[in-house]
Amino acid sequence: MSAQQENSYDAGRIAALGDEVLAADEKSIPVAADGVSVRDFLASGPHLSDFSTPLLTLDRQTLTDNTEHLARWCAAAGVELEPHGKTTMAPALWAEQADAGARGITLANFPQLRVGREFGFRRLQLANELTDPHAIEWVVAARTVDPEFEFACWVDSDQGVNLLQAALDRLDTDQTIDLIIDFGRTGGRSGARTPDEALAVARAVRAAPSLRLVGIGGYEGALAHHADDAGLSAVTDYLRVMRGVHEQIESEDLYAEGAERILTAGGSAFFDLVVAELGPCIKPATGSDPGTAVVLRSGAYIVHDDGFYRGISPFSRGVDNPFRSAMHAWVRVVSQPEEGLALLDAGKRDVPYDEGLPEPHAIASGLGRPATALHDTSISAVNDQHAFFRFDPATTNVRVGDVVKLGLSHPCTAMQTWRYIPVLDGSGDDPRVTDLVRTFF
């Protein structure tokens, strides 16, 4: 680990998560752990069978493999990585990404920024507009207290530029704020819609005395939901226009003097196209030039899934070896009211459903018991607290009390309803739980 990586977060603050005392109001925590610290609970050697359903778990080896896989790929491609922390909102996992080479963390809103600073992360990118006056004041104060805190946010309008400059004027501060032009497209989310609009914002930033233009960014994932020819073409066209805007900004000398120039894009669906289209803009730093970096913001890759990202990830499309899903849900059969239908004890408040329903993988007589793979079964719907498990009783034996292992789609919405997520270490029917990932949604 490099010295820069060692100092990129507060390892002591992350280690202190082990001192937290577990309580009965945490739905993933066994009754026996009530009132016990995380560290002492883990030292007792718990296994999967010690927990109750419903339950979300993560696999230790898969998390590590996915993290290292993208780190190697980025290094070979010559691009930087500032993974989107909103996927997991788990500082301990952010630290693992930093240890593997990520140079910072991307976040989406003010509460998330506060979590990032609470755990000492020194480089944070807000992939969003900074407009809340309390948030602006907080950024200024944080950078005043810690001059090594590197922060950049997005802006997509003259109004946004003027709002930021006016806020800094009111605060009567010498601090500046680094800005990245948010470049969008019609039908996407935020962002200047045309190159001319983006250039107008860049000129406004350049004219503002307390603002520094350091890059251009965007989110290509909003433009395509499938990796078919039409989707790949839409993303490629967008990135090429974005590159052209960057080149025009350079030609007009609008970037802040002495600042590294940043081109940032790349969720977990099309980062290969980002590298192909923006990679030629990379310029190594020299003595007189801080250079130009392409920065990916992929976030879902560390957990991955058995649904949306499994189908659309570049590594699933033959670019490299596929990621694997590190997350699964374990749910119990509570009712069989009709032939071929079982109700499970997990619903919308436990498992994601926005990017596809869960898929049954295996069934066992209990947590930690030998499991049988499931075929030709499905989850047809989820209510608040129930899932509808469909099966053919002629080929699949299901009993009340059985436990079903589910594959899930979309890690961002899988993790948001769990504060402590057990991490399984090792294979076998009843693996040991060696960690509890703490989330801060």
Side-chain angles (χ1 to χ4, degrees):
M1 187 190 305
S2 70
Q4 184 276 328
Q5 290 166 346
E6 287 180 350
N7 294 327
S8 66
Y9 60 89
D10 186 344
R13 178 65 182 86
I14 291 174
L17 291 172
D19 298 326
E20 292 189 344
V21 176
L22 301 170
D25 60 359
E26 302 296 343
K27 64 181 181 178
S28 61
I29 301 304
V31 174
D34 188 10
V36 178
S37 73
V38 171
R39 185 174 289 105
D40 288 345
F41 171 62
L42 295 175
S44 72
H47 286 73
L48 176 63
S49 58
D50 293 313
F51 288 73
S52 300
T53 59
L55 183 67
L56 178 73
T57 63
L58 297 170
D59 180 77
R60 172 70 272 162
Q61 190 60 54
T62 304
L63 290 171
T64 300
D65 290 347
N66 289 347
T67 300
E68 294 178 350
H69 189 6
L70 188 60
R72 289 191 301 269
W73 190 87
C74 288
V79 299
E80 303 287 349
L81 179 62
E82 294 182 10
H84 212 316
K86 58 92 176 173
T87 296
T88 64
M89 284 308 297
L93 296 183
W94 300 349
E96 292 183 21
Q97 292 169 302
D99 290 345
R103 71 176 198 170
I105 297 295
T106 300
L107 296 166
N109 59 31
F110 182 32
Q112 293 175 11
L113 287 177
R114 295 178 66 186
V115 173
R117 285 303 294 157
E118 167 67 17
F119 287 87
F121 285 87
R122 289 291 177 86
R123 186 196 292 260
L124 298 177
Q125 178 186 165
L126 179 67
N128 211 336
E129 279 62 25
L130 182 66
T131 58
D132 185 296
H134 297 295
I136 297 169
E137 183 176 358
W138 177 89
V139 168
V140 169
R143 297 194 67 233
T144 301
V145 170
D146 183 2
E148 295 184 10
F149 173 35
E150 298 182 51
F151 172 79
C153 64
W154 291 16
V155 66
D156 69 355
S157 68
D158 290 350
Q159 293 180 49
V161 173
N162 295 336
L163 183 152
L164 283 168
Q165 183 59 56
L168 294 174
D169 290 341
R170 286 194 301 273
L171 293 170
D172 191 23
T173 177
D174 293 332
Q175 289 288 342
T176 60
I177 292 181
D178 289 351
L179 296 179
I180 295 170
I181 300 297
D182 182 356
F183 182 61
R185 292 295 290 271
T186 300
R189 59 180 197 193
S190 62
R193 285 334 201 209
T194 68
D196 286 344
E197 291 177 7
L199 289 166
V201 178
R203 296 178 189 120
V205 175
R206 183 62 168 170
S210 302
L211 305 176
R212 301 198 322 156
L213 182 62
V214 299
I216 182 170
Y219 178 53
E220 74 290 343
L223 303 175
H225 209 67
H226 301 281
D228 55 14
D229 290 345
L232 297 177
S233 178
V235 170
T236 297
D237 289 347
Y238 163 75
L239 293 168
R240 287 176 180 170
V241 176
M242 179 176 164
R243 175 181 172 181
V245 176
H246 159 72
E247 292 170 344
Q248 184 63 32
I249 292 173
E250 276 196 317
S251 71
E252 294 188 29
D253 197 24
L254 298 178
Y255 285 124
E257 184 177 354
E260 177 191 48
R261 298 170 294 277
I262 297 168
L263 286 85
T264 177
S268 294
F270 302 109
F271 55 78
D272 58 326
L273 301 183
V274 172
V275 171
E277 299 303 326
L278 302 185
C281 298
I282 296 172
K283 295 179 183 177
T286 64
S288 58
D289 184 350
T292 302
V294 169
V295 179
L296 301 183
R297 304 190 312 278
S298 311
Y301 75 94
I302 183 172
V303 175
H304 199 52
D305 71 6
D306 283 309
F308 175 70
Y309 285 107
R310 179 181 62 190
I312 203 169
S313 165
F315 293 169
S316 298
R317 293 187 269 112
V319 174
D320 209 320
N321 295 323
F323 293 125
R324 291 177 291 118
S325 179
M327 64 176 179
H328 295 91
W330 308 79
V331 298
R332 198 174 300 272
V333 177
V334 295
S335 174
Q336 287 198 73
E338 301 171 14
E339 187 176 43
L341 170 65
L343 277 299
L344 310 178
D345 65 348
K348 295 177 179 179
R349 294 174 177 173
D350 308 297
V351 295
Y353 58 92
D354 57 316
E355 291 287 0
L357 293 172
E359 58 180 38
H361 282 186
I363 191 168
S365 61
L367 276 176
R369 301 289 183 83
T372 301
L374 289 170
H375 305 283
D376 300 322
T377 61
S378 66
I379 302 297
S380 61
V382 290
N383 295 154
D384 284 352
Q385 307 286 185
H386 292 90
F388 290 69
F389 174 42
R390 304 284 180 176
F391 62 96
D392 182 352
T395 58
T396 303
N397 184 30
V398 178
R399 294 179 179 274
V400 171
D402 284 351
V403 170
V404 179
K405 180 181 180 181
L406 298 176
L408 306 173
S409 180
H410 201 191
C412 302
T413 49
M415 299 184 69
Q416 67 182 0
T417 63
W418 300 86
R419 184 150 50 176
Y420 291 100
I421 305 176
V423 178
L424 306 180
D425 191 6
S427 58
D429 296 315
D430 194 18
R432 183 169 174 176
V433 174
T434 58
D435 201 359
L436 293 175
V437 166
R438 173 73 153 87
T439 67
F440 289 82
F441 286 98

